[in-house]
């Protein structure tokens, strides 16, 4: 045991990295709070392939063995986003012609970047000229395949930049004026978590002062699903049976997620909310195995040991691991054996290591899978609860859970030992052997949202005098959308103090040309004014830019 591993898990070090902002767009979960609701309720987001994705059933050759919608053993289910063709190009100062030529993965990452920074209470414009970095994992290029199918006549002046995977990260840096490292990472299915590892390394080295890190994956062409099916990776049941006897492959999923990262000392000095802390991570490869895509237990053990050594965390202190957990017959037993050897057998008898996989909820997001696992674990730390891993009933006979001292998390529960620091790991493995493991823990006392939640008011409108919410948008429609989102948030989160939201809107949001102010004395006035703004109606508690305040008759 090195001097590093002897450090108490409650102690934080200068090399720790704080997660201060999050965003996601996942099947049936377009925000981190919606993702947490999906997880805690034990729901899955797996559906039939949308008929508008690859053509309607009438247009699709259902009787063809080439068709992913056909009966020839090719799965027709997955985790899909709605309306991946939608994009507000004007918001990002992109012409409609260029927007059409852009891979929707570029467009989605732009949106996620803005949302993650807002979640971190950072005005995106304030980063212009700083050494903020962007690290995005992506492995698929379906849109490129579709575009090139149009032949040379479909090539425009925007095709080269629109289809380059490298531009997925660079587009964010260009749009926001960021001068730190900017790269798209492709290590196959471990791409997103590899991007997080590289972002942390960049922060440690001083190359970046802040980093956006995560991944994206969109399923836009049938070819990639056909390829995965013929490779033998996909479950014919359209389910991911992680560590279960029924494990027969994975179900594809799409979406993306980003986190905003900052060195923990800097985050504490800046007064940032700390969702969780990245204590350490490792990145390596299987090397030569019995096959290019066959994982190596020894290499996975090495990745785990190195990550926890760097984190200064003892195996006995780890309470949960978010698995790579694809539900494959070869991969699951090897992952379980490595976890048991490094972590499970190091825990006391009767205190097994809890494990689970978000792939059972939203599918395998391939190049973005690692960020999904990290977000799930960060939200679990934030809410101090562990959600169920779905589709598990009978253990895979090749996974002796009791012997390995592992237990699949089968229901929503508190953490096993809430009196100890919450510590978890996240694994992500690429089919070419690139293994990543990240160690997470809760932040220092008083820095997280969960630490403050219990101190909030019993309802959102804990008013002392008038409360002012400032809203703005690049168009009247965008302003109305902001009102609708705030109305939904205030309704769904009555525990949040309205004055905290007022402060955030005034100090951490970009101001656009279309503006309005809601001035309310109680919760009813607040919600009524937001509804009026959404519907384009006047309200005595609503002021548009340039409009004089109207008396409310209150003192």
């Amino acid at each position: 045991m090195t001097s590093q591993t002897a450090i108490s898990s409650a102690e934080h070090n200068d090399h720790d990295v704080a997660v201060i902002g999050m965003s996601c767009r996942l099947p049936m979960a377009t925000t981190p709070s919606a993702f947490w609701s999906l997880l805690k309720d034990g729901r899955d987001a797996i559906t039939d392939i949308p008929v508008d994705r690859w053509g309607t059933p009438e247009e699709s050759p259902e009787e063809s063995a080439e068709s992913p919608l056909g009966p020839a053993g090719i799965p027709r289910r997955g985790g899909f986003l709605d309306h991946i063709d939608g994009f507000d190009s004007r918001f990002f100062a992109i012409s409609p012609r260029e927007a059409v030529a852009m891979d929707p993965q570029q467009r989605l990452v732009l949106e996620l970047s803005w949302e993650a920074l807002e979640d971190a209470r950072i005005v995106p414009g304030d980063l212009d000229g700083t050494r903020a970095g962007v690290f995005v994992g992506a492995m698929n290029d379906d849109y490129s395949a579709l575009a090139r199918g149009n032949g040379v006549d479909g090539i425009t002046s925007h095709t080269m930049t629109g289809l380059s995977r490298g531009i997925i990260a660079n587009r964010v840096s260009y749009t926001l004026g960021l001068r730190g490292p900017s790269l798209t990472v492709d290590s196959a299915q471990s791409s997103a978590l590899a991007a997080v590892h590289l972002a942390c390394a960049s922060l440690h080295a001083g190359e970046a002062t802040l980093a956006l890190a995560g991944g994206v994956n969109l399923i836009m062409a049938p070819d990639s699903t056909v390829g995965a099916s013929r490779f033998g990776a996909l479950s014919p049941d359209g389910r991911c049976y992680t560590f279960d006897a029924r494990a027969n492959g994975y179900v594809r999923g799409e979406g993306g997620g980003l986190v905003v990262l900052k060195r923990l000392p800097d985050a504490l000095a800046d007064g940032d909310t700390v969702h969780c802390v990245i204590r350490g991570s490792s990145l390596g490869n299987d090397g030569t195995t019995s096959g290019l895509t066959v994982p190596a237990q020894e290499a996975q053990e090495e990745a785990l040991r190195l990550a926890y050594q760097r984190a200064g965390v003892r195996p006995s202190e780890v309470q949960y691991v978010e698995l790579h957990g694809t539900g494959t017959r070869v991969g699951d037993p090897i992952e379980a054996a490595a976890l048991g050897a490094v972590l499970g057998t190091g825990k006391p008898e009767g205190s097994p290591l809890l494990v689970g996989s978000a792939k059972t909820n939203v599918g395998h997001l391939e190049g973005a899978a690692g960020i999904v696992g990290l977000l799930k674990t960060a939200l679990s730390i934030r809410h101090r609860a562990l959600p169920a891993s779905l589709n598990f009933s009978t253990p895979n006979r090749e996974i002796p859970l009791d012997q390995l001292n592992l237990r699949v998390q089968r229901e929503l529960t508190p953490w096993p030992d809430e009196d100890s620091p919450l510590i978890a790991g996240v694994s992500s493995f690429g089919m070419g052997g690139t293994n990543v493991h990240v160690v997470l823990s809760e932040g220092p006392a008083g820095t997280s949202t969960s630490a403050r939640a219990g101190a909030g008011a019993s309802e959102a409108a804990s008013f002392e005098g008038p409360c002012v919410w400032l809203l703005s948008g690049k168009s009247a429609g965008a302003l109305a959308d902001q009102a609708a989102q705030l109305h939904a948030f205030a309704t769904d989160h009555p525990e949040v103090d309205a004055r905290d939201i007022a402060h955030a809107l005034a100090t951490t949001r970009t101001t656009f040309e279309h503006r309005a102010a809601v001035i309310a004395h109680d919760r009813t006035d607040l919600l009524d004014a937001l509804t009026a703004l959404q519907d384009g109606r006047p309200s005595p508690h609503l002021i548009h830019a340039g409009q004089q305040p109207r008396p409310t008759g209150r003192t």
Side-chain angles (χ1 to χ4, degrees):
M1 179 180 294
T2 68
S3 59
Q4 266 192 312
T5 58
I7 295 173
S8 167
S9 62
E11 297 176 9
H12 290 279
N13 302 302
D14 287 345
H15 69 265
D16 289 346
V17 171
V19 176
I20 63 171
M22 301 185 287
S23 66
C24 67
R25 204 72 56 80
L26 300 172
M28 298 186 187
T30 59
T31 64
S33 62
F35 185 34
W36 177 249
S37 294
L38 183 84
L39 292 168
K40 72 179 179 64
D41 293 343
R43 292 181 285 122
D44 79 57
I46 306 304
T47 64
D48 287 338
I49 297 168
V51 295
D52 61 350
R53 187 63 62 93
W54 300 332
T56 64
E58 291 75 22
E59 296 170 332
S60 301
E62 288 194 329
E63 300 305 317
S64 168
E66 299 294 322
S67 172
L69 295 178
I74 300 174
R76 64 180 71 200
R77 292 176 64 77
F80 297 95
L81 301 183
D82 294 326
H83 310 302
I84 61 171
D85 55 337
F87 179 64
D88 187 354
S89 60
R90 179 187 172 193
F91 183 89
F92 294 103
I94 296 172
S95 72
R97 182 174 296 179
E98 183 173 11
V100 169
M102 289 167 58
D103 185 336
Q105 294 182 134
Q106 289 187 29
R107 308 196 303 235
L108 179 55
V109 169
L110 276 175
E111 294 170 344
L112 290 171
S113 298
W114 193 277
E115 292 167 8
L117 291 171
E118 286 197 336
D119 184 66
R121 300 193 171 192
I122 295 172
V123 177
D126 290 348
L127 296 179
D128 187 13
T130 68
R131 290 198 57 78
V134 183
F135 303 78
V136 182
M139 64 174 279
N140 291 321
D141 53 4
D142 284 18
Y143 197 68
S144 177
L146 291 172
R148 297 192 191 286
N150 295 324
V152 295
D153 292 339
I155 298 174
T156 73
S157 59
H158 300 299
T159 298
M160 187 171 182
T161 55
L163 301 184
S164 169
R165 260 188 291 171
I167 300 295
I168 294 175
N170 297 163
R171 180 80 67 174
V172 176
S173 300
Y174 171 79
T175 300
L176 301 181
L178 312 182
R179 296 185 179 177
S182 181
L183 60 154
T184 303
V185 179
D186 184 359
S187 60
Q189 290 84 352
S190 60
S191 298
L193 212 58
V196 171
H197 171 87
L198 294 174
C200 292
S202 184
L203 289 167
H204 295 156
E207 293 175 331
T209 53
L210 176 142
L212 284 156
V216 66
N217 188 59
L218 292 179
I219 306 169
M220 292 170 282
D223 308 46
S224 57
T225 296
V226 173
S229 178
R230 292 185 177 175
F231 177 72
L234 301 188
S235 165
D237 302 326
R239 287 286 186 274
C240 185
Y241 297 107
T242 302
F243 280 21
D244 191 86
R246 295 167 292 173
N248 58 2
Y250 68 82
V251 58
R252 299 189 77 194
E254 67 177 4
L258 291 177
V259 289
V260 182
L261 305 176
K262 188 186 287 188
R263 291 180 61 252
L264 180 60
D266 296 336
L268 296 178
D270 294 340
D272 295 317
T273 294
V274 178
H275 297 302
C276 67
V277 174
I278 297 176
R279 301 288 295 272
S281 60
S282 65
L283 174 67
N285 192 272
D286 289 336
T288 303
T289 66
S290 60
L292 176 63
T293 63
V294 178
Q297 178 182 333
E298 182 181 355
Q300 290 185 16
E301 290 181 19
E302 182 179 342
L304 292 165
R305 290 193 178 97
L306 183 57
Y308 289 100
Q309 176 183 328
R310 288 174 173 170
V313 170
R314 293 181 287 269
S316 60
E317 297 172 312
V318 185
Q319 297 160 306
Y320 174 79
V321 167
E322 175 66 15
L323 303 165
H324 180 63
T326 53
T328 56
R329 292 188 177 97
V330 174
D332 279 9
I334 291 174
E335 180 174 11
L339 279 172
V342 177
L343 298 178
T345 55
K347 292 183 66 63
E349 185 178 352
S351 179
L353 176 69
L354 302 177
V355 298
S357 174
K359 293 177 179 66
T360 62
N361 300 94
V362 296
H364 186 357
L365 267 71
E366 298 166 332
I371 194 63
V372 177
L374 190 151
L375 287 171
K376 172 189 171 181
T377 310
L379 289 166
S380 297
I381 290 173
R382 174 176 171 179
H383 292 278
R384 307 187 72 83
L386 289 171
S389 187
L390 308 183
N391 308 328
F392 180 83
S393 57
T394 305
N396 185 323
R397 68 178 64 183
E398 301 296 326
I399 303 177
L401 291 173
D402 291 340
Q403 180 181 330
L404 297 171
N405 204 19
L406 307 178
R407 186 173 71 203
V408 176
Q409 179 71 6
R410 301 178 67 174
E411 60 183 346
L412 178 70
T413 67
W415 282 70
D417 185 2
E418 290 195 280
D419 293 331
S420 299
L422 308 189
I423 297 178
V426 182
S427 290
S428 192
F429 309 140
M431 65 179 176
T434 299
N435 305 318
V436 190
H437 191 80
V438 173
V439 183
L440 303 181
S441 76
E442 61 183 317
T447 64
S448 69
T449 50
S450 61
R452 296 195 306 228
S458 60
E459 61 177 41
S462 175
F463 295 95
E464 294 179 4
C467 181
V468 181
W469 283 15
L470 303 176
L471 293 77
S472 72
K474 284 199 171 184
S475 66
L479 186 62
D481 287 343
Q482 281 287 307
Q485 291 179 34
L486 284 168
H487 189 287
F489 181 84
T491 302
D492 294 342
H493 298 276
E495 77 283 0
V496 179
D497 196 307
R499 293 164 298 181
D500 288 343
I501 300 174
H503 181 266
L505 290 172
T507 61
T508 67
R509 291 295 183 269
T510 304
T511 301
F512 298 112
E513 51 267 37
H514 292 263
R515 306 172 194 173
V518 172
I519 304 176
H521 291 74
D522 57 38
R523 180 178 175 80
T524 300
D525 291 347
L526 180 71
L527 296 177
D528 287 349
L530 289 171
T531 300
L533 181 56
Q534 179 184 353
D535 296 342
R537 298 184 288 101
S539 167
H541 309 291
L542 178 64
I543 302 172
H544 287 274
Q547 176 184 343
Q548 293 298 314
R550 296 163 62 178
T552 64
R554 304 188 186 206
T555 59

